[in-house]
Structures are given as structure tokens and as C-alpha cells.
Amino acid sequence: MAMERARELASGSRLLSPPNPWVGAVILDAMTGAIIAEGRTQAPGGNHAEIEALVRAGDAARGATLVVTMEPCSHNGRTGPCVEAIINAGITRVVVAVGDPDSHVAGRGLARLREANIELITDVSTDEVREDLAPYLHHRSTGRPYVVAKVAATLDGAVAMADGSSKWITSEDARYDGHILRAESQAIIVGAGTVRSDDPTLTARLRDATYEPRRIVLGGVSKSAKVQPCEEFEGPLDQLLDRLGAEGVLQVLVEGGPSVVSSFVEAGLVQRIVWYIAPALAGLTSALPALASLESETISALRRGRFVAMKRLGEDIRLDLEV
């Protein structure tokens, strides 16, 4: 299916395109349905997915169908409007998964295509693409980054033992997946306690590259720590998110200890919890629980969400909870 291929292409730009959305585009021959050309969003200032595909298609784009994961832009930014390029290329049908809530677009791209008498098919694979683009859509709709809280714990929820030891509860496979989470985030938030006890670098070390998201420490921290450069913040968490959103941060990874993660959950600021579960038991009498400072006195007070993904990572399991 062409939209599935467009989603695959978009995923290849996930680490490249922010603060722009990661979008994929496929151009199909109108008669045979065969793929003529493909494109995905380049780094900011580079071509959008539609332009990449149109350039590769050349004259073959005339009369063809464009399948794209997000509404084409209609304004001049760092690049020109994609809708005008689509119209000028002679595309006759456009298939779109989701609209773009960005105030510069917000339906104007679709309206321009209709105005040019291009056949328009919308809401194809919408749920799947909304999931793919959740951080971007959340940011453009709320002005704040999408907040992911990461937990790595034993089966009974311990993140550290009585002596303070915590390395390594989860396997190398789970830890590598956690580095992908870091690379997908433009900022990482930890507490000063985590910095003092673990002295982490907080870089995202993947097989082909190392990424350095912004590193934010809640409270003071020694300048001799590995997590440098870092930004120190003291104040209401919602103010921090407002600031990061205004600065173009689409996704934040909260990777602090139990108190920091609990504080974000307690304040209702988390959109997703990624919980890595190791097949190990600690016993919580003396071990440190993952959400140590989160309290619910009754069943009715439980903070509930829904599981949206589960993945096996070596001997561990990753559970994604949408809060």
C-alpha cells in the first residue's frame, strides 16, 4: 500500500527533520499504480517530502497521483509552498493521511489543491499516521512539547536497590532502545539527584551516529558532572514546557529518578510512559519504587491510561502507556 510506504519513508526522517514534521511522499503512475518516485523530509531548510518526490519524478509526475502522510504546506517558510509545486508539476490526484495543525497551514494546503481542481482524498491511515506524528501534532496543537517519561525497572517496579545500585537492571537491547528514545527527543530532563548519583552523559549513542539533545537538570548540579553542557532549571514544570515549546522542542524525554518522573505524572504533564520491564524481582521493602512519590489512596484515584504498544527487547519487555 502506498501510504504504508510513505510512512516508512517518513520514519527515516524522524531524527532529521525536527522542528519540522517527518513526512513521507510517494508518486504513483495513474494507470498502473506503480511507484514512480519517493521522497522524505530533509533537514530544516532542505526539501520537504513532496518536493523530493517531485524532483525525482520529473516529467513523469504529470497526471500522476501523490500519496503523502501530511497535508502539503501552502506558505513560504525556509522553502517555498509545496502545494504550488504539486500544481505546477501536473499532479492530478493527492491522497493525504492527516491535516497539518500548524497555524501557517491548518487546511489552507488542502483548500488550495481543491481550488486547483486536483482530486483530493483525505483521512487515509489517519490513526496510524497520527501515532507516527504524535509529538509534532501535540506541539502544534498545544504549544508544548510531547512529554515521554522513561522508566527501567524490575518486574515489581524497583529502579534501584537498598545500596543505591541500579546498573544495569535492563539488558543491552533495552538500553539501546532507550538511546533511540533520546535521539528522537530534542531535550532530556533529569533531576540533580540523578546527575549526582549516576553522572550520566545523556547523549544518544546509536550505531551510526551520536546525538546530543538539550540536557536540562532540575535544580543545581556540580559543573564537574559529565552532563555538560546542561541547562539548570528551577520553577514550575509547566513553565519549563511552555518555554521549550516556544523554542521549537517537539518532544521531551523525562529520564530523571522516581521523584522527577512522579512530579511530571502528578502534574498531568506526561503524554506517554515508556516502561522497560526486566525479568527480575527486587522486593520493595528496601528497594526504590519507580514512582516513589506518586500516591493514590483509593482505587478511584488511580491514574489510568491505555497500553498502545508492547515490544520484546532481548530478555526485556517495553510497554508504551498513553496517559
Side-chain angles (χ1 to χ4, degrees), residues 197-235:
S197 62
D198 295 344
D199 199 14
T201 59
L202 298 182
T203 56
R205 299 178 295 280
L206 305 184
R207 294 185 181 95
D208 57 347
T210 297
Y211 296 83
E212 298 208 15
R214 291 172 61 177
R215 288 160 283 192
I216 299 166
V217 179
L218 302 180
V221 61
S222 168
K223 294 300 183 184
S224 63
K226 288 180 185 175
V227 55
Q228 296 293 340
C230 71
E231 306 167 41
E232 298 181 23
F233 180 84
E234 294 185 70

Short mmCIF file of all heavy atoms in Angstrom, two decimals, residues 197-235:
data_model
loop_
_atom_site.label_atom_id
_atom_site.label_comp_id
_atom_site.label_asym_id
_atom_site.label_seq_id
_atom_site.Cartn_x
_atom_site.Cartn_y
_atom_site.Cartn_z
N SER A 197 24.25 11.03 41.44
CA SER A 197 24.44 9.61 41.73
C SER A 197 24.98 8.83 40.54
O SER A 197 25.81 7.94 40.71
CB SER A 197 23.12 8.98 42.19
OG SER A 197 22.14 9.08 41.17
N ASP A 198 24.53 9.15 39.31
CA ASP A 198 24.91 8.37 38.14
C ASP A 198 25.93 9.06 37.25
O ASP A 198 26.60 8.41 36.45
CB ASP A 198 23.67 8.04 37.29
CG ASP A 198 22.69 7.14 38.03
OD1 ASP A 198 23.09 6.53 39.03
OD2 ASP A 198 21.53 7.06 37.59
N ASP A 199 26.02 10.39 37.33
CA ASP A 199 26.91 11.19 36.47
C ASP A 199 26.77 10.77 35.00
O ASP A 199 27.75 10.39 34.35
CB ASP A 199 28.36 11.06 36.93
CG ASP A 199 29.23 12.20 36.39
OD1 ASP A 199 28.66 13.21 35.92
OD2 ASP A 199 30.46 12.07 36.44
N PRO A 200 25.55 10.83 34.44
CA PRO A 200 25.33 10.37 33.06
C PRO A 200 25.78 11.40 32.03
O PRO A 200 25.85 12.59 32.31
CB PRO A 200 23.82 10.18 33.00
CG PRO A 200 23.31 11.25 33.93
CD PRO A 200 24.32 11.37 35.04
N THR A 201 26.08 10.93 30.83
CA THR A 201 26.39 11.87 29.74
C THR A 201 25.11 12.34 29.06
O THR A 201 25.07 13.43 28.50
CB THR A 201 27.28 11.20 28.68
OG1 THR A 201 26.61 10.06 28.15
CG2 THR A 201 28.62 10.78 29.29
N LEU A 202 24.06 11.50 29.07
CA LEU A 202 22.76 11.81 28.46
C LEU A 202 22.86 12.08 26.96
O LEU A 202 22.07 12.84 26.40
CB LEU A 202 22.08 12.99 29.16
CG LEU A 202 21.74 12.77 30.64
CD1 LEU A 202 21.04 13.99 31.20
CD2 LEU A 202 20.87 11.52 30.83
N THR A 203 23.82 11.46 26.31
CA THR A 203 23.86 11.51 24.85
C THR A 203 23.12 10.29 24.31
O THR A 203 22.86 9.32 25.02
CB THR A 203 25.30 11.49 24.33
OG1 THR A 203 25.97 10.33 24.86
CG2 THR A 203 26.04 12.74 24.76
N ALA A 204 22.75 10.34 23.04
CA ALA A 204 22.09 9.22 22.38
C ALA A 204 23.12 8.55 21.47
O ALA A 204 23.45 9.08 20.41
CB ALA A 204 20.89 9.69 21.58
N ARG A 205 23.61 7.42 21.90
CA ARG A 205 24.69 6.74 21.18
C ARG A 205 24.10 5.58 20.37
O ARG A 205 23.82 4.50 20.89
CB ARG A 205 25.75 6.25 22.17
CG ARG A 205 26.38 7.40 22.94
CD ARG A 205 27.40 6.95 23.95
NE ARG A 205 26.84 6.16 25.03
CZ ARG A 205 26.20 6.66 26.10
NH1 ARG A 205 26.03 7.97 26.19
NH2 ARG A 205 25.72 5.88 27.04
N LEU A 206 23.91 5.86 19.08
CA LEU A 206 23.39 4.85 18.17
C LEU A 206 24.54 4.26 17.36
O LEU A 206 25.67 4.73 17.42
CB LEU A 206 22.33 5.46 17.25
CG LEU A 206 21.17 6.16 17.96
CD1 LEU A 206 20.13 6.63 16.95
CD2 LEU A 206 20.52 5.24 19.00
N ARG A 207 24.24 3.24 16.59
CA ARG A 207 25.32 2.55 15.88
C ARG A 207 25.97 3.42 14.81
O ARG A 207 27.16 3.28 14.54
CB ARG A 207 24.76 1.27 15.25
CG ARG A 207 24.32 0.25 16.30
CD ARG A 207 23.87 -1.06 15.66
NE ARG A 207 23.44 -1.99 16.70
CZ ARG A 207 22.17 -2.14 17.08
NH1 ARG A 207 21.23 -1.39 16.50
NH2 ARG A 207 21.84 -2.99 18.03
N ASP A 208 25.17 4.31 14.21
CA ASP A 208 25.71 5.10 13.10
C ASP A 208 26.00 6.55 13.45
O ASP A 208 26.57 7.29 12.64
CB ASP A 208 24.75 5.06 11.91
CG ASP A 208 23.35 5.56 12.28
OD1 ASP A 208 23.09 5.69 13.48
OD2 ASP A 208 22.54 5.79 11.37
N ALA A 209 25.60 6.98 14.64
CA ALA A 209 25.79 8.39 15.00
C ALA A 209 25.56 8.60 16.49
O ALA A 209 24.96 7.76 17.17
CB ALA A 209 24.84 9.28 14.20
N THR A 210 26.03 9.72 16.98
CA THR A 210 25.76 10.15 18.36
C THR A 210 24.99 11.45 18.31
O THR A 210 25.38 12.39 17.60
CB THR A 210 27.07 10.35 19.15
OG1 THR A 210 27.75 9.09 19.24
CG2 THR A 210 26.78 10.85 20.56
N TYR A 211 23.88 11.51 19.03
CA TYR A 211 23.03 12.69 19.07
C TYR A 211 23.13 13.33 20.45
O TYR A 211 23.29 12.64 21.46
CB TYR A 211 21.57 12.31 18.77
CG TYR A 211 21.36 11.77 17.38
CD1 TYR A 211 21.60 10.43 17.10
CD2 TYR A 211 20.92 12.59 16.34
CE1 TYR A 211 21.42 9.92 15.81
CE2 TYR A 211 20.73 12.09 15.07
CZ TYR A 211 20.98 10.75 14.81
OH TYR A 211 20.80 10.25 13.54
N GLU A 212 23.06 14.65 20.47
CA GLU A 212 23.16 15.37 21.73
C GLU A 212 21.95 16.28 21.92
O GLU A 212 21.98 17.46 21.55
CB GLU A 212 24.46 16.18 21.78
CG GLU A 212 25.70 15.31 21.73
CD GLU A 212 26.89 15.94 22.42
OE1 GLU A 212 26.69 16.91 23.18
OE2 GLU A 212 28.00 15.47 22.18
N PRO A 213 20.86 15.75 22.49
CA PRO A 213 19.71 16.60 22.80
C PRO A 213 20.09 17.63 23.86
O PRO A 213 21.11 17.50 24.55
CB PRO A 213 18.68 15.61 23.35
CG PRO A 213 19.18 14.25 23.00
CD PRO A 213 20.66 14.37 22.91
N ARG A 214 19.28 18.66 23.98
CA ARG A 214 19.46 19.60 25.09
C ARG A 214 19.28 18.84 26.40
O ARG A 214 18.39 18.01 26.53
CB ARG A 214 18.44 20.72 24.99
CG ARG A 214 18.67 21.65 23.82
CD ARG A 214 17.55 22.63 23.62
NE ARG A 214 17.33 23.51 24.75
CZ ARG A 214 16.43 24.50 24.76
NH1 ARG A 214 15.67 24.70 23.70
NH2 ARG A 214 16.29 25.27 25.81
N ARG A 215 20.13 19.14 27.38
CA ARG A 215 20.08 18.43 28.65
C ARG A 215 19.72 19.42 29.75
O ARG A 215 20.43 20.39 29.98
CB ARG A 215 21.41 17.75 28.91
CG ARG A 215 21.62 16.55 27.98
CD ARG A 215 23.06 16.15 27.85
NE ARG A 215 23.78 17.06 26.95
CZ ARG A 215 24.99 16.81 26.47
NH1 ARG A 215 25.62 15.72 26.81
NH2 ARG A 215 25.58 17.67 25.68
N ILE A 216 18.60 19.15 30.40
CA ILE A 216 18.06 20.07 31.40
C ILE A 216 18.05 19.38 32.75
O ILE A 216 17.50 18.27 32.89
CB ILE A 216 16.65 20.52 31.00
CG1 ILE A 216 16.71 21.26 29.65
CG2 ILE A 216 16.03 21.41 32.08
CD1 ILE A 216 15.37 21.46 28.99
N VAL A 217 18.65 20.02 33.72
CA VAL A 217 18.73 19.47 35.08
C VAL A 217 17.86 20.31 36.00
O VAL A 217 17.99 21.54 36.06
CB VAL A 217 20.19 19.47 35.59
CG1 VAL A 217 20.25 18.91 37.01
CG2 VAL A 217 21.08 18.66 34.65
N LEU A 218 16.94 19.65 36.67
CA LEU A 218 16.07 20.34 37.62
C LEU A 218 16.82 20.53 38.93
O LEU A 218 17.16 19.55 39.61
CB LEU A 218 14.79 19.53 37.86
CG LEU A 218 13.96 19.23 36.61
CD1 LEU A 218 12.73 18.42 36.98
CD2 LEU A 218 13.55 20.51 35.90
N GLY A 219 17.12 21.78 39.27
CA GLY A 219 17.91 22.06 40.47
C GLY A 219 19.38 22.22 40.12
O GLY A 219 19.79 22.07 38.96
N GLY A 220 20.18 22.54 41.10
CA GLY A 220 21.61 22.78 40.87
C GLY A 220 22.38 21.50 40.67
O GLY A 220 21.98 20.43 41.11
N VAL A 221 23.50 21.59 39.99
CA VAL A 221 24.35 20.43 39.74
C VAL A 221 25.80 20.89 39.63
O VAL A 221 26.09 21.99 39.16
CB VAL A 221 23.91 19.70 38.45
CG1 VAL A 221 24.06 20.63 37.25
CG2 VAL A 221 24.71 18.44 38.23
N SER A 222 26.68 20.05 40.08
CA SER A 222 28.10 20.37 40.03
C SER A 222 28.56 20.51 38.58
O SER A 222 28.21 19.70 37.72
CB SER A 222 28.92 19.27 40.71
OG SER A 222 30.29 19.42 40.42
N LYS A 223 29.34 21.52 38.29
CA LYS A 223 29.83 21.75 36.92
C LYS A 223 30.84 20.69 36.50
O LYS A 223 31.24 20.62 35.34
CB LYS A 223 30.46 23.13 36.81
CG LYS A 223 29.46 24.28 37.00
CD LYS A 223 28.35 24.24 35.98
CE LYS A 223 27.39 25.43 36.14
NZ LYS A 223 26.26 25.34 35.21
N SER A 224 31.26 19.85 37.44
CA SER A 224 32.20 18.80 37.09
C SER A 224 31.50 17.55 36.56
O SER A 224 32.14 16.58 36.17
CB SER A 224 33.04 18.40 38.32
OG SER A 224 32.20 17.87 39.35
N ALA A 225 30.19 17.54 36.57
CA ALA A 225 29.45 16.36 36.09
C ALA A 225 29.62 16.17 34.61
O ALA A 225 29.88 17.11 33.85
CB ALA A 225 27.98 16.52 36.42
N LYS A 226 29.40 14.91 34.14
CA LYS A 226 29.54 14.59 32.73
C LYS A 226 28.47 15.26 31.88
O LYS A 226 28.68 15.54 30.70
CB LYS A 226 29.44 13.07 32.53
CG LYS A 226 30.64 12.28 33.01
CD LYS A 226 30.40 10.80 32.75
CE LYS A 226 31.51 9.96 33.33
NZ LYS A 226 31.23 8.51 33.19
N VAL A 227 27.31 15.50 32.47
CA VAL A 227 26.19 16.03 31.69
C VAL A 227 26.41 17.52 31.42
O VAL A 227 25.79 18.39 32.00
CB VAL A 227 24.83 15.76 32.39
CG1 VAL A 227 24.79 16.29 33.79
CG2 VAL A 227 23.67 16.30 31.57
N GLN A 228 27.35 17.79 30.51
CA GLN A 228 27.71 19.14 30.12
C GLN A 228 27.79 19.20 28.59
O GLN A 228 28.26 18.25 27.96
CB GLN A 228 29.05 19.55 30.73
CG GLN A 228 29.06 19.62 32.24
CD GLN A 228 28.18 20.74 32.80
OE1 GLN A 228 27.85 21.68 32.09
NE2 GLN A 228 27.79 20.61 34.06
N PRO A 229 27.36 20.28 27.96
CA PRO A 229 26.71 21.41 28.62
C PRO A 229 25.29 21.05 29.03
O PRO A 229 24.66 20.19 28.41
CB PRO A 229 26.70 22.48 27.53
CG PRO A 229 26.65 21.69 26.26
CD PRO A 229 27.46 20.46 26.50
N CYS A 230 24.81 21.68 30.07
CA CYS A 230 23.44 21.45 30.51
C CYS A 230 22.81 22.77 30.91
O CYS A 230 23.49 23.76 31.12
CB CYS A 230 23.39 20.46 31.67
SG CYS A 230 24.03 21.11 33.23
N GLU A 231 21.49 22.76 30.97
CA GLU A 231 20.74 23.92 31.42
C GLU A 231 20.11 23.59 32.77
O GLU A 231 19.49 22.53 32.91
CB GLU A 231 19.64 24.27 30.40
CG GLU A 231 20.15 24.46 28.98
CD GLU A 231 19.01 24.49 27.97
OE1 GLU A 231 17.97 25.12 28.26
OE2 GLU A 231 19.16 23.87 26.90
N GLU A 232 20.26 24.45 33.73
CA GLU A 232 19.64 24.23 35.03
C GLU A 232 18.33 24.99 35.10
O GLU A 232 18.22 26.12 34.61
CB GLU A 232 20.58 24.67 36.15
CG GLU A 232 21.88 23.87 36.17
CD GLU A 232 22.81 24.31 37.30
OE1 GLU A 232 22.30 24.88 38.28
OE2 GLU A 232 24.03 24.09 37.18
N PHE A 233 17.33 24.35 35.70
CA PHE A 233 16.02 24.99 35.80
C PHE A 233 15.43 24.75 37.18
O PHE A 233 15.44 23.63 37.69
CB PHE A 233 15.06 24.44 34.74
CG PHE A 233 13.68 25.06 34.80
CD1 PHE A 233 13.42 26.26 34.16
CD2 PHE A 233 12.65 24.45 35.52
CE1 PHE A 233 12.16 26.84 34.23
CE2 PHE A 233 11.39 25.02 35.59
CZ PHE A 233 11.15 26.22 34.95
N GLU A 234 14.90 25.81 37.75
CA GLU A 234 14.15 25.72 38.99
C GLU A 234 12.87 26.53 38.82
O GLU A 234 12.93 27.70 38.47
CB GLU A 234 14.97 26.26 40.17
CG GLU A 234 16.20 25.42 40.49
CD GLU A 234 16.92 25.90 41.74
OE1 GLU A 234 16.37 25.73 42.84
OE2 GLU A 234 18.02 26.46 41.59
N GLY A 235 11.74 25.89 39.05
CA GLY A 235 10.47 26.58 38.89
C GLY A 235 9.39 25.60 38.50
O GLY A 235 9.62 24.39 38.40
#
